[in-house]
Amino acid sequence: MKKFLLLGLIAFSSSSIAQDLEINDELLELYARPAQYLDVKISPGGDYLAATSRTEKGTVQLTVIAVDDNEILRITQGREGESVAAFNWANDERLIFSMAREVGPLEMPAPTGEIFAMDADGSNQIILTGPRSKSGEYVFASVVDLLPEEPDAVMIYQRSFTSQEPYLDLYTIKIDSGRKRSEGRIPLRAYRNTNVQVILDDSGVSRMVVGVDPEEDNKTVILGRDGANQEWYEVTSYASDEGGFVPLRMLPNSDQIMGLSNSQTDTRALSVMDLSERKETVLAEHPYVDLMPIMSIKNGRSNELIGAAFEYESIDSFFFADVEDKDYSRLLQSLMATFPGHAVGISSATRDNNTLIVSVSSANKSPAFYMFERDKGKLLPIAEARPWVSKHQFPKTQAIVYKSRDGLDIQAILTLPKDKEAKDLPLILLPHGGPHGIKDTLMAIDADAKVFAEHGYAVLQPNFRGSGGFGREFLESGYKNWGTTMINDMTDGVDYLVHQGIVDASRVCVYGASYGGYAALQSGVREPDKYKCIVGFVGVYDLDLMFEEGDIPQALAGRNYLNRVLPDTAEERKAQSPLHNVDKLKAPVFIIQGGADRRVPETHAFRLRDALEEREHPYEWLYKEHEGHGFFKPENNIERWQKMLTFFDTYIGD
């Protein structure tokens, strides 16, 4: 077998990157370029590899390669502006995949709702669902389960394109002809801005469904049934401000469903619910952070719960001793030990589990794919997601923990410049968006943080209260406090780095996007003497305006969310809105906005600009008419970074 299976498909030049205090445009281009390889999967029989990769035009194609001789059998592309989205092997010879249209972010295209199927060599291609299929049904479909026990069929759900509150209809569909057999209707609606989750047992029978009821303040409802053609019954339900059970996988040969739960714990624990008794049992919990399950694989399915992954001061995991598949557990532990400090996952495996596709990534390593052959004990590189930076030495990113002024432990991500002593550095405070349920992580590269560190700045990304992954109490402590205690947590992180001698207190700027843009401006309002410059990118600047414009208030579920997390009174919302407190700002402001932003419409940016102009407050402006909630064209991100680095250098540069 050849050592490199995919790296030669598209060649990129990789030149050395000079490091100096000037803006390095070549480096910006490397960071702005979206990933080339997105996913790699091996066929159940082990004969083929399939991979999604990005073309020079930015669309995503699907390539199939014969493993034995490394021959490219097929490259599949969509029509102009269309990309291959999700894909999988339905059996030894046949692939199923979906398409998406590039209508917004390069890595988050909008799915068309169609399902395609073809043989490994591209023959016998058919559109199984959607307007372009033989049936011509105007429906949106998605694969629910690959049904390994039925190699000629998969399970899908289908919903109306036109209904605002559709039910989901389940079908078993033949992957060679598109013929469907109804498996019944899910008795929960997919309300706007909500999803319905379907859990199947090993026989391919839907046994549990999860939905959200916005009519009852976004209450989560879980239904179950004892088998095919049986009546659905309510297993449990819980309000949006209560802890509850999130089902993930039905355990083999049982009525038990494994999931994540904070109904009995503060952080999300590994838990099992018995459908017959409707009783939940906690298996493992972490005192500070949520857990994620580690499952073994059998016959192409997740099978046994063998451990848990988590992230606090590092990427970490633990494994259970009393498991049946001890060989798989030892294998996974060995792979994780091979890549310490990285997120290691199995993206696919052959039916006999002899050959596995391993993905590896971290905040200090661009994602990479490997093939592990268990019988030979060989780990072979397949592809780097961004091969042009595979040998680049990134600025180091690490986790730190500090105390907030009221005693909370705040975990944060700190990126430091290369070839500089960590002493009296200029700092960019970079709060994340969201804000609730989102966290900054060691598992992936943050391009903003790396670009700024490449140019000599320390970058702090605090997981302030309200962030996800640290328990329900920590999450909900941010509710109603967007502009108060959440901002305090960010400020306390800056003060911590100053006290440690890492940061020069006279050279600190703040930048963020979405909620982070709000936090940047609000930090300048709350601490006018601390920050020498402020950058708000697609930011929220008026909390009341969130109830009037954008896609969040268009659905009842979104309005329920706003009522839950924003201050209760108009007076409080005004007090926490940067737009109504610009008189308190001292630092110059840089406003960056996309004209096609549906999440945070341009009204926020224009009103902030008008308020600054009225007060003759210094500001800069960057507006891209056709960009959305974030810039996704590489050239626009390059321009954004160029202007931001110039802005930072003006006020806190050497």
Side-chain angles (χ1 to χ4, degrees), residues 43-59:
S43 62
D47 295 323
Y48 311 107
L49 281 175
T52 41
S53 61
R54 202 178 301 279
T55 69
E56 290 286 0
K57 292 183 178 180
T59 56

Side-chain angles (χ1 to χ4, degrees), residues 147-340:
L147 302 180
E149 296 78 15
E150 294 189 61
D152 62 342
V154 297
M155 178 81 74
I156 68 168
Y157 79 66
Q158 207 170 267
R159 62 174 172 81
S160 167
F161 255 127
T162 56
S163 174
Q164 290 293 316
E165 301 175 351
Y167 286 106
L168 304 186
D169 295 307
L170 290 180
Y171 294 93
T172 297
I173 188 169
K174 296 293 185 181
I175 57 175
D176 58 350
S177 65
R179 288 190 294 110
K180 294 185 296 186
R181 180 180 73 242
S182 175
E183 303 293 348
R185 170 165 284 188
I186 300 301
L188 291 175
R189 291 183 183 272
Y191 294 96
R192 187 167 183 175
N193 284 6
T194 72
N195 295 307
V196 174
Q197 178 188 6
V198 183
I199 307 289
L200 273 59
D201 62 19
D202 277 356
S203 300
V205 176
S206 54
R207 295 289 303 279
M208 180 175 276
V209 293
V210 186
V212 174
D213 187 351
E215 298 290 346
E216 296 192 44
D217 194 23
N218 294 4
K219 181 176 74 173
T220 297
V221 179
I222 301 179
L223 305 181
R225 64 175 179 172
D226 297 328
N229 303 315
Q230 301 296 307
E231 292 295 320
W232 291 95
Y233 54 83
E234 183 172 308
V235 177
T236 186
S237 63
Y238 53 92
S240 56
D241 59 351
E242 296 176 346
F245 180 77
V246 180
L248 297 176
R249 172 80 172 94
M250 193 137 194
L251 297 179
N253 306 312
S254 75
D255 284 331
Q256 294 186 327
I257 292 185
M258 187 274 299
L260 299 173
S261 175
N262 56 6
S263 64
Q264 303 173 44
T265 58
D266 180 55
T267 56
R268 286 201 184 276
L270 295 182
S271 184
V272 168
M273 178 174 286
D274 192 301
L275 270 181
S276 59
E277 298 181 5
R278 306 186 198 183
K279 180 182 178 181
E280 182 188 332
T281 302
V282 173
L283 301 178
E285 64 174 301
H286 191 286
Y288 304 124
V289 293
D290 296 348
L291 297 178
M292 288 299 295
I294 299 176
M295 306 288 291
S296 67
I297 297 176
K298 184 178 181 180
N299 295 329
R301 283 186 187 271
S302 297
N303 185 55
E304 183 185 10
L305 178 65
I306 60 174
F310 60 93
E311 177 187 349
Y312 190 57
E313 295 183 68
S314 63
I315 297 172
D316 213 335
S317 61
F318 63 82
F319 288 82
F320 300 119
D322 54 340
V323 297
E324 292 183 9
D325 198 344
K326 288 183 171 56
D327 286 343
Y328 189 92
S329 179
R330 284 192 291 265
L331 165 65
L332 202 51
Q333 291 178 65
S334 174
L335 288 170
M336 290 179 173
T338 303
F339 300 98

